[in-house]
Amino acid sequence: MCGIFGIVAARDATYTDGFLRRSLTILASESQSRGKDSSGLVFYNEDAETYHVIKGALKLSDLLRSRSVKLQLQRSLAAYTAERPQVPFVAIG
């Protein structure tokens, strides 16, 4: 059975990128036992009205270390912190 988790930081929230990064890592770690065969993350880009989906047949901890996740997470966090209060941060696993 799968484990589903997510973070939504509203446009006017004042979370730091470090807090959001740690929160996503903790949630992923806690849900990893629920989906050992495959994993995935979705990042929402409100400006472009797009979803960036990253998935694979690997453990979530391995997916989090992948280049594509690191790059997309950095982009999402940069947009959230740089353009506040314009852009929310949304990540779902």
Side-chain angles (χ1 to χ4, degrees):
M1 182 173 289
C2 66
I4 300 171
F5 61 91
I7 297 176
V8 177
R11 294 180 186 125
D12 59 350
T14 57
Y15 300 115
T16 65
D17 60 344
F19 174 79
L20 293 171
R21 186 182 301 274
R22 284 188 307 276
S23 297
L24 184 62
T25 302
I26 291 168
L27 286 169
S29 174
E30 292 297 322
S31 81
Q32 184 166 267
S33 65
R34 303 295 298 167
K36 296 179 183 180
D37 300 329
S38 64
S39 58
L41 289 167
V42 177
F43 295 92
Y44 177 60
N45 180 332
E46 185 176 78
D47 287 342
E49 296 181 350
T50 59
Y51 295 90
H52 191 89
V53 179
I54 305 166
K55 60 183 180 175
L58 64 162
K59 294 187 306 184
L60 190 52
S61 59
D62 294 336
L63 187 71
L64 284 172
R65 289 191 294 270
S66 73
R67 178 175 157 78
S68 58
V69 168
K70 287 181 180 180
L71 180 61
Q72 189 57 46
L73 178 58
Q74 185 60 38
R75 286 180 181 162
S76 295
L77 289 171
Y80 171 74
T81 57
E83 299 177 22
R84 187 178 300 149
Q86 306 294 330
V87 179
F89 174 80
V90 179
I92 301 169

